[in-house]
Amino acid sequence: MGIEPEIVAGSSIGAFVGSAYASGQLDKLESWVSALTWKEILNYIDLTVVGGGFIQGDKLFEFAKKMVPYDTIESLPHRFGAVATELETGREIWFQDGSLLDAVRASIALPGVFTPMQLNGRWLLDGGLCNPVPVSLCRAMGAEVVIAVNLNGDIVGKHTRNHDAQKKSTEKIESDNDESLFERVSAQWKQSLNSHKDTLLSQLFGENRYSPGLFDVVATSLNIMQDRITRSRMAGDPPEITLSPRLSHIGLMEFDQAASAIEEGRACVQRMRPALEHLLADL
């Protein structure tokens, strides 16, 4: 629509994608994620049984260093901020300068999934724990008009909805192109896990496609929490416009569904186009 934000702030995946926009690498990021396969995704997942999470994240951020040509937040062509949460106190931490990758790594440290980030003597977690849609940070950075993107509104209870939809579909026909997360990951890891692989995978991803695994439980619990926090914080500091894409069909680790997410993002903007045009007309 020709709208070019001067300030971008994000929590969790919003910090990751926001950093790509602020560094002028959004098109490169889109090309990369749209072409990802599950085999390639697994190459970036460095599992760990220590450190407070299942995924270390080092492989992903080694690749991210190659994609982003800027080392510090203050060197970016657009103003950028990221939110993280301090583990010990629960305090909200704002990154507006310093290492770009450190800020993003801290902001996406989803509890139970990615290991926490240690920075300057403190452990940091996902920014969505305290400020999922950081309107307040945008205001503090000088934004007069805020267009918020809320990813949480449509995903609460998604496991139940997906369960019902998948069950009806299975009664008709099984599709090789619609494998569950459990089946895809099981197939990829079959050769590399130890003798307890089946138990581990069933715990992480569920006994079958209809039962919630650890990732499902953790993600859904956090989604519920973040949805409630988002509603509360935006009630006190509302943005001018809120975009809420419908993402209940995409699972926590389904990074290979990027094209579908991007398509829904564009569709969401089109649904809100009259409100956006009205907002622009008043500026």
Side-chain angles (χ1 to χ4, degrees):
M1 291 183 60
I3 301 173
E4 297 185 8
E6 297 179 20
I7 295 171
V8 177
S11 287
S12 196
I13 194 63
F16 188 91
V17 177
S19 68
Y21 175 87
S23 59
Q25 303 299 308
L26 193 61
D27 289 341
K28 183 184 291 187
L29 176 63
E30 178 181 2
S31 297
W32 174 58
V33 296
S34 297
L36 274 179
T37 65
W38 253 102
K39 186 175 182 180
E40 291 171 325
I41 292 169
L42 291 175
N43 289 332
Y44 292 108
I45 297 179
D46 40 3
L47 291 180
T48 179
V49 294
V50 295
F54 281 106
I55 300 173
Q56 191 71 33
D58 291 342
K59 291 183 179 180
L60 176 63
F61 278 88
E62 281 298 320
F63 177 81
K65 287 181 182 178
K66 302 175 183 177
M67 289 190 63
V68 179
Y70 299 92
D71 294 328
T72 62
I73 294 175
E74 54 266 37
S75 66
L76 294 170
H78 294 274
R79 294 188 62 193
F80 173 72
V83 179
T85 304
E86 187 175 17
L87 177 60
E88 183 177 356
T89 64
R91 288 178 55 230
E92 181 176 339
I93 306 298
W94 289 355
F95 290 93
Q96 301 179 67
D97 53 35
S99 170
L100 176 61
L101 288 178
D102 283 350
V104 174
R105 174 65 180 85
S107 187
I108 71 162
L110 190 68
V113 180
F114 284 99
T115 57
M117 172 76 176
Q118 188 176 34
L119 190 63
N120 299 326
R122 56 189 178 187
W123 290 98
L124 302 176
L125 292 171
D126 195 296
L129 294 174
C130 58
N131 197 352
V133 186
V135 176
S136 55
L137 176 53
C138 289
R139 302 283 189 207
M141 294 172 66
E144 297 177 358
V145 175
V146 177
I147 300 174
V149 181
N150 178 20
L151 304 183
N152 300 311
D154 184 55
I155 54 183
V156 173
K158 72 172 186 175
H159 179 82
T160 302
R161 295 198 297 271
N162 287 346
H163 173 188
D164 295 338
Q166 289 174 351
K167 187 173 182 180
K168 292 178 182 178
S169 176
T170 304
E171 290 173 353
K172 297 179 181 179
I173 186 171
E174 289 288 342
S175 171
D176 292 336
N177 295 325
D178 191 31
E179 295 177 347
S180 70
L181 178 64
F182 173 83
E183 291 168 331
R184 283 184 285 177
V185 176
S186 295
Q188 292 292 339
W189 284 355
K190 186 175 182 181
Q191 301 300 321
S192 60
L193 292 177
N194 59 25
S195 59
H196 300 293
K197 65 180 181 299
D198 293 331
T199 301
L200 175 61
L201 288 173
S202 65
Q203 289 174 342
L204 293 180
F205 300 104
E207 293 293 340
N208 54 56
R209 69 177 64 190
Y210 304 130
S211 64
L214 178 58
F215 281 167
D216 281 318
V217 172
V218 170
T220 302
S221 299
L222 289 170
N223 289 340
I224 293 171
M225 178 195 68
Q226 290 182 3
D227 178 56
R228 300 308 185 261
I229 294 172
T230 299
R231 294 184 190 204
S232 176
R233 297 208 55 156
M234 291 206 302
D237 191 2
E240 277 64 36
I241 296 285
T242 300
L243 304 177
S244 299
R246 299 164 184 168
L247 301 171
S248 62
H249 61 291
I250 299 177
L252 173 65
M253 301 294 289
E254 293 181 337
F255 304 125
D256 57 333
Q257 298 299 309
S260 175
I262 293 169
E263 181 181 356
E264 169 52 24
R266 292 195 174 102
C268 177
V269 171
Q270 290 304 314
R271 290 193 297 270
M272 295 296 294
R273 189 181 187 97
L276 287 164
E277 289 176 338
H278 180 73
L279 175 66
L280 293 176
D282 291 339
L283 295 180

